Amino acid sequence: MSGRTMRLQVLLFYLVFRLSSVLGQVSYSIPEEMPSGSLVGAIAQDLGLDVKRLKSGQARVFTGDSAGYIELNKDRGVLIIKDRINRETTCRQTTPCALHFQIILENPMEFYSITVEITDINDNPPTFEKNEVSFKISESAVIGSKFVLDRAIDLDVGKNGLQKYELKPADNFVLKRESQADGTEKVEMILQKPLDREKDELISLVLTAFDGGDPQMSGTIRILITVLDVNDNAPIFTQSTYTATVFENAPVGTVVTGVTASDADHGTNGKIRYSIANSLHQAHSLFQINEDSGEIRLTGNIDFENARNYHINIRASDDGGLTDSCKVIVEVVDINDNKPTINIMSKSNMISENSKPSTVVAMMNVQDPDSNENGKVSCFINDNTPLTIMLTSNNFYSLMTDSDLDRETASQYNITVTCSDEGVPSLSSSITLTLQISDVNDNAPVFESSSYEAYIVENNTPGLSVFTVRARDADWNQNARVSYILEDSSVNGVPVSSYVSVSADSGVIHAVRSFDYEQIKDFHFRVKAQDGGSPPLSSNVTVKILIQDQNDNPPQVLYPVQTGGSLVAEMVPRSADVGYLVTKVVAVDVDSGQNAWLSYKLQKATDRALFEVGLQNGEIRTIRQVTDKDAVKQRLTVIVEDNGQPSRSATVIVNVVVADSFPEVLSEFTDFTQDKEYNDNLTFYLVLALAVVSFLFITCLVVIISVKIYRWRQSRIMFHSNLPVIPYYPPRYSDTLGTGTLQHVYNYEVCRTTDSRKSDCKFGGAGSQNVLIMDPSSTGTMQRIQSEKSILDEPDSPLEVGNSGLF
């Protein structure tokens, strides 16, 4: 046991490394039974990859549906043993024994095929199925008689497998080894010396099997030989090798085949019994032979994917102990009983809509353990998707785009991958992958209309909502967020922004000013819709604003002209008949539509029974015959109304003179002129009176303010002055003790009129620019203050402004 432990320790440190890099494949060779964590190989270095690439690419090991014995250490970039590997459990007798797996990388997707060969170590001794076997051999057995022995089984392979046998003691028998077509060998014991029952009735032999490992291991079986009386004919099979076929889904109890042997002896020595000798693949647990008839039946479930054939060693023995052997080869016929297995190696849940064709979306491995046509697999995907599936290498498929993507057409694809074999009937498997298409800003906003027209009634309130433009962007999220911008332009030389504004978020157009239909009837501008992508995309649209008329203008009378300085009168002869056209009132309305439809009505007239006005045309006509009794002077008041709601109107006075000659008209015209002059004078007087009252009021305010300022300035001068008081006596002045004629100074203002009807008030000018201030406590002393700038140092001194006349 200690020798085996030492051997394992030595093998753990012995690593046979073999590396090849052909078409992205790397191979390693390691011994079995290495402990967990043992180094397999520096995969990053061998693949020429940086350790950072393993981390950023989320490198992982993909083994399909096989057991994972190897794992990847991304920090060190090496492959290590995950679980202890037993070559005999993993590969049985298959050589070479290798593990196949892939290293998967993301961003971009890559995979590398890795092969790790598991080399055998001598950890299994040769073993026999039984510890003891018995033979009954007649003493008359001839030299050269063959006795088939159970062969030893060594799970190891190569030099560690079974190498030789040794039989002891070798007095009567020798061993013979014969290789067979299936690679196994038959071990026979050959009689080389006649038996003598009387000398040795029971012979005990030991058969030892040795392998070629170092240290060498062995296994033994005890052979007990009972020497019988004479039985000189051994059973003989009709064939040395039998073949049979059986379907892998055959039920238990199915007859596989039968073997037949004959024995020339009679009686008990000629009675043959059949049995199954030791075989590979545990055949004795799957097959059973009728010891009397040689019929072989199925006793277990067989699977083509586990074993494609079975080699059964059949032994025929008589009661005399003589035996013969044959081989039955059972071929398992495959049926299509396995669906293809789809393993996703790597996939992307989302790709950008601007991804180029042939972008890999997913990589998968498809396996079908069936054989021939039953194991041939083809994969396809559902229609109406911009993707395709391609076979990249044996059993490996790539799902990739085959055309341009458009998120606005389809934002998500549910892709069903179906893999079917070619068996009859065909079996299939399918998986569904969901692929999201991420948005890029590839669609500009689109307005609902190629152009817009909006109406607004004139005299609107500034800030009034006029219209709303809307644009839609087929993109998503921020790329579909639309902002509205008013493009720079001008309307009649004025920036359009002074007319309207556009809400950036809602697209609502507001009027910035109040519009007047009579000044502008329509205008147009452009609105740009811009999305929030990077870079942003935009489109524009023309918006035309039509101003709707409002009845805000009264009619204007063009004829007869109403002037202030002259009088216009229409003359009607006394011989005028009914319907005589006196004149026509002509009026216009700057509004439009029904607001400009005018109607004419006679509001007042000196004689309503004499004239009428045409409702639509404004023609004034007589409605009866003119007589001598009719007044010469006729005054008609015509009102002109529009058709607006509410209506507006204007009035015009038409003077009509009923006369046959011009002198009559002239006399009447003089009376009209006097009346007109009287009215004009009255208006003039009213305006003049209003102007005079306003002027007097303003003058009083100015005078009061000037006096207040003057007194305030005087008090400051008197308070701060240090000059001596110099007496001054103006002309015509005398003190109270004298005999002067005037003791006071008087100021006079003269107002006179120059016309009895239109007069102006004229004030006298200043007689002197000297102001005398009297001191009541003084007895003859006065202080003279001259209005000079050098004394007062103020240009706007009240002493200069407030002048009065003295005389």
Side-chain angles (χ1 to χ4, degrees):
M1 195 68 182
S2 61
R4 182 179 180 183
T5 303
M6 181 178 295
R7 177 167 51 84
L8 291 174
Q9 291 176 349
V10 170
L11 287 175
L12 291 176
F13 291 96
Y14 175 75
L15 173 65
V16 179
F17 172 80
R18 178 167 56 90
L19 169 65
S20 65
S21 178
V22 179
L23 297 178
Q25 294 185 350
V26 176
S27 300
Y28 299 94
S29 180
I30 61 173
E32 65 173 330
E33 301 296 337
M34 292 181 68
S36 298
S38 299
L39 176 67
V40 176
I43 187 63
Q45 178 180 352
D46 297 334
L47 291 176
L49 299 175
D50 189 54
V51 176
K52 295 180 180 178
R53 170 61 179 141
L54 297 180
K55 294 180 180 180
S56 64
Q58 302 178 2
R60 65 184 187 277
V61 174
F62 174 78
T63 61
D65 55 356
S66 60
Y69 294 103
I70 308 295
E71 66 179 356
L72 173 65
N73 187 320
K74 291 186 285 188
D75 295 328
R76 297 167 54 196
V78 297
L79 294 174
I80 60 176
I81 300 296
K82 181 179 180 181
D83 294 319
R84 188 182 295 269
I85 304 173
N86 185 278
R87 192 205 66 80
E88 289 75 27
T89 302
T90 303
C91 300
R92 298 183 181 179
Q93 294 297 313
T94 302
T95 56
C97 178
L99 300 177
H100 301 278
F101 56 92
Q102 290 76 38
I103 299 295
I104 306 299
L105 296 174
E106 305 282 351
N107 300 322
M109 294 184 183
E110 297 175 308
F111 79 98
Y112 300 89
S113 295
I114 310 297
T115 301
V116 178
E117 181 181 0
I118 310 300
T119 59
D120 184 53
I121 64 174
N122 192 23
D123 58 341
N124 293 284
T127 59
F128 293 90
E129 185 176 1
K130 299 178 182 178
N131 295 325
E132 186 177 289
V133 64
S134 297
F135 289 92
K136 294 180 180 181
I137 304 175
S138 173
E139 64 178 349
S140 62
V142 297
I143 301 300
S145 297
K146 299 178 181 181
F147 303 93
V148 179
L149 302 177
D150 290 341
R151 75 182 187 88
I153 297 175
D154 192 339
L155 298 178
D156 295 325
V157 295
K159 69 176 183 178
N160 295 324
L162 181 64
Q163 298 295 322
K164 67 179 181 176
Y165 292 91
E166 184 178 286
L167 181 65
K168 290 183 179 180
D171 296 333
N172 299 97
F173 298 90
V174 293
L175 289 176
K176 179 182 179 182
R177 299 172 64 183
E178 181 180 352
S179 298
Q180 295 182 324
D182 61 351
T184 62
E185 63 179 9
K186 181 169 63 174
V187 181
E188 295 178 324
M189 186 173 60
I190 308 298
L191 182 64
Q192 67 175 356
K193 181 181 179 181
L195 298 176
D196 187 358
R197 180 180 176 277
E198 287 71 23
K199 182 180 179 181
D200 294 310
E201 183 179 1
L202 184 64
I203 299 175
S204 178
L205 304 176
V206 175
L207 178 63
T208 304
F210 297 92
D211 63 19
D214 185 17
Q216 191 177 55
M217 304 181 76
S218 63
T220 61
I221 185 174
R222 185 180 179 187
I223 303 173
L224 298 177
I225 300 175
T226 301
V227 182
L228 302 177
D229 283 337
V230 176
N231 180 23
D232 54 353
N233 291 288
I236 299 174
F237 281 99
T238 57
Q239 297 176 216
S240 61
T241 301
Y242 293 85
T243 59
T245 59
V246 61
F247 287 99
E248 63 175 325
N249 64 342
V252 174
T254 300
V255 177
V256 178
T257 188
V259 296
T260 303
S262 61
D263 194 321
D265 294 327
H266 295 281
T268 58
N269 291 330
K271 186 178 181 180
I272 300 174
R273 287 183 172 83
Y274 301 95
S275 62
I276 297 177
N278 188 23
S279 301
L280 292 175
H281 306 302
Q282 310 256 331
H284 63 280
S285 64
L286 297 175
F287 300 94
Q288 184 183 54
I289 189 170
N290 188 308
E291 65 177 8
D292 295 325
S293 64
E295 183 181 71
I296 300 175
R297 290 180 178 269
L298 192 63
T299 60
N301 295 320
I302 58 175
D303 190 353
F304 176 85
E305 287 70 44
N306 291 333
R308 300 191 176 190
N309 54 58
Y310 294 91
H311 295 256
I312 308 171
N313 294 319
I314 305 298
R315 180 167 56 202
S317 60
D318 58 19
D319 285 347
L322 299 180
T323 63
D324 192 12
S325 65
C326 71
K327 179 181 288 293
V328 177
I329 300 175
V330 179
E331 296 288 343
V332 181
V333 179
D334 182 40
I335 64 170
N336 193 24
D337 60 343
N338 291 282
K339 295 181 179 180
T341 302
I342 304 173
N343 299 304
I344 301 297
M345 300 167 57
S346 180
K347 67 174 182 176
S348 296
N349 295 323
M350 178 179 293
I351 62 172
S352 175
E353 65 173 321
N354 63 349
S355 298
K356 296 181 179 179
S358 300
T359 299
V360 177
V361 175
M363 295 188 300
M364 58 194 72
N365 173 258
V366 182
Q367 299 286 345
D368 192 325
D370 293 325
S371 64
N372 299 328
E373 301 301 320
N374 296 332
K376 292 182 179 179
V377 179
S378 59
C379 296
F380 59 91
I381 61 175
N382 54 307
D383 297 332
N384 302 323
T385 61
L387 296 104
T388 186
I389 188 168
M390 295 183 63
L391 179 66
T392 54
S393 60
N394 188 25
N395 298 328
F396 290 93
Y397 289 84
S398 292
L399 183 64
M400 62 183 66
T401 60
D402 67 347
S403 62
D404 294 330
L405 303 176
D406 188 4
R407 190 206 66 83
E408 291 70 42
T409 302
S411 61
Q412 174 180 302
Y413 292 98
N414 292 321
I415 308 158
T416 300
V417 180
T418 303
C419 295
S420 304
D421 58 30
E422 297 182 8
V424 179
S426 176
L427 299 179
S428 63
S429 298
S430 62
I431 60 171
T432 299
L433 305 176
T434 300
L435 180 63
Q436 302 284 344
I437 310 301
S438 63
D439 185 49
V440 297
N441 191 26
D442 58 348
N443 289 278
V446 178
F447 284 95
E448 295 177 349
S449 177
S450 59
S451 63
Y452 293 94
E453 284 189 359
Y455 297 87
I456 182 173
V457 179
E458 65 172 331
N459 303 316
N460 59 284
T461 303
L464 178 67
S465 174
V466 180
F467 189 68
T468 301
V469 293
R470 286 187 177 89
R472 301 186 184 276
D473 196 311
D475 293 320
W476 184 74
N477 205 0
Q478 184 67 26
N479 294 332
R481 187 171 298 170
V482 179
S483 299
Y484 301 92
I485 302 170
L486 180 65
E487 292 190 352
D488 293 335
S489 62
S490 61
V491 178
N492 298 330
V494 179
V496 72
S497 58
S498 64
Y499 284 84
V500 292
S501 65
V502 179
S503 173
D505 296 328
S506 62
V508 177
I509 299 174
H510 297 273
V512 175
R513 62 167 63 178
S514 179
F515 296 106
D516 187 356
Y517 175 83
E518 288 70 40
Q519 293 183 1
I520 181 172
K521 292 179 173 53
D522 61 72
F523 63 94
H524 62 271
F525 55 90
R526 298 181 71 82
V527 175
K528 180 171 69 174
Q530 179 174 290
D531 59 29
S534 180
L537 300 178
S538 63
S539 61
N540 49 41
V541 70
T542 299
V543 180
K544 184 176 182 180
I545 302 296
L546 300 171
I547 313 300
Q548 290 183 327
D549 184 41
Q550 193 178 46
N551 193 24
D552 58 343
N553 292 282
Q556 298 178 5
V557 179
L558 302 180
Y559 184 84
V561 179
Q562 304 292 298
T563 60
S566 61
L567 180 65
V568 177
E570 303 293 338
M571 187 175 68
V572 177
R574 294 186 180 275
S575 60
D577 294 330
V578 176
Y580 178 81
L581 178 61
V582 178
T583 187
K584 182 176 181 178
V585 177
V586 180
V588 294
D589 195 319
V590 295
D591 294 324
S592 65
Q594 66 177 9
N595 295 328
W597 295 352
L598 302 180
S599 61
Y600 303 84
K601 297 178 183 178
L602 185 60
Q603 185 180 37
K604 291 190 300 181
T606 304
D607 187 353
R608 280 186 172 272
L610 183 57
F611 301 100
E612 67 175 358
V613 178
L615 181 64
Q616 303 298 332
N617 53 23
E619 294 179 350
I620 301 176
R621 294 179 180 272
T622 59
I623 58 177
R624 64 175 176 81
Q625 180 71 40
V626 179
T627 64
D628 295 335
K629 297 180 179 180
D630 293 324
V632 176
K633 293 186 299 181
Q634 298 284 339
R635 178 185 290 258
L636 308 178
T637 302
V638 178
I639 182 170
V640 184
E641 290 184 340
D642 57 29
N643 199 35
Q645 294 295 330
S647 63
R648 291 177 173 268
S649 63
T651 58
V652 61
I653 297 175
V654 179
N655 295 307
V656 179
V657 177
V658 180
D660 290 327
S661 61
F662 183 73
E664 295 181 52
V665 175
L666 185 59
S667 63
E668 295 299 333
F669 180 76
T670 304
D671 294 339
F672 280 132
T673 304
Q674 291 177 355
D675 293 342
K676 180 66 177 179
E677 182 180 358
Y678 173 78
N679 292 332
D680 291 343
N681 290 336
L682 180 60
T683 301
F684 172 78
Y685 293 144
L686 291 175
V687 173
L688 181 61
L690 180 60
V692 170
V693 171
S694 300
F695 175 79
L696 291 177
F697 175 77
I698 295 173
T699 302
C700 290
L701 287 178
V702 173
V703 170
I704 293 172
I705 293 172
S706 300
V707 171
K708 290 291 185 180
I709 295 175
Y710 170 77
R711 290 180 178 178
W712 176 75
R713 302 267 320 164
Q714 287 297 324
S715 62
R716 287 177 57 87
I717 293 174
M718 293 297 295
F719 180 80
H720 294 288
S721 177
N722 294 322
L723 295 176
V725 178
I726 300 175
Y728 172 71
Y729 303 99
R732 299 182 182 179
Y733 178 81
S734 65
D735 61 1
T736 55
L737 298 178
T739 59
T741 58
L742 293 174
Q743 299 181 7
H744 301 283
V745 177
Y746 294 91
N747 294 335
Y748 295 94
E749 292 183 354
V750 180
C751 182
R752 62 182 179 178
T753 61
T754 59
D755 186 75
S756 60
R757 300 187 63 169
K758 298 179 181 178
S759 62
D760 296 294
C761 183
K762 296 184 179 180
F763 299 93
S768 174
Q769 294 193 6
N770 296 328
V771 177
L772 298 179
I773 301 175
M774 303 297 297
D775 188 357
S777 62
S778 173
T779 59
T781 303
M782 296 184 64
Q783 182 181 2
R784 181 186 182 193
I785 300 175
Q786 297 181 352
S787 57
E788 298 179 0
K789 296 181 181 179
S790 60
I791 298 177
L792 299 178
D793 292 331
E794 293 187 12
D796 56 348
S797 174
L799 297 179
E800 292 182 8
V801 178
N803 297 328
S804 60
L806 297 176
F807 48 93

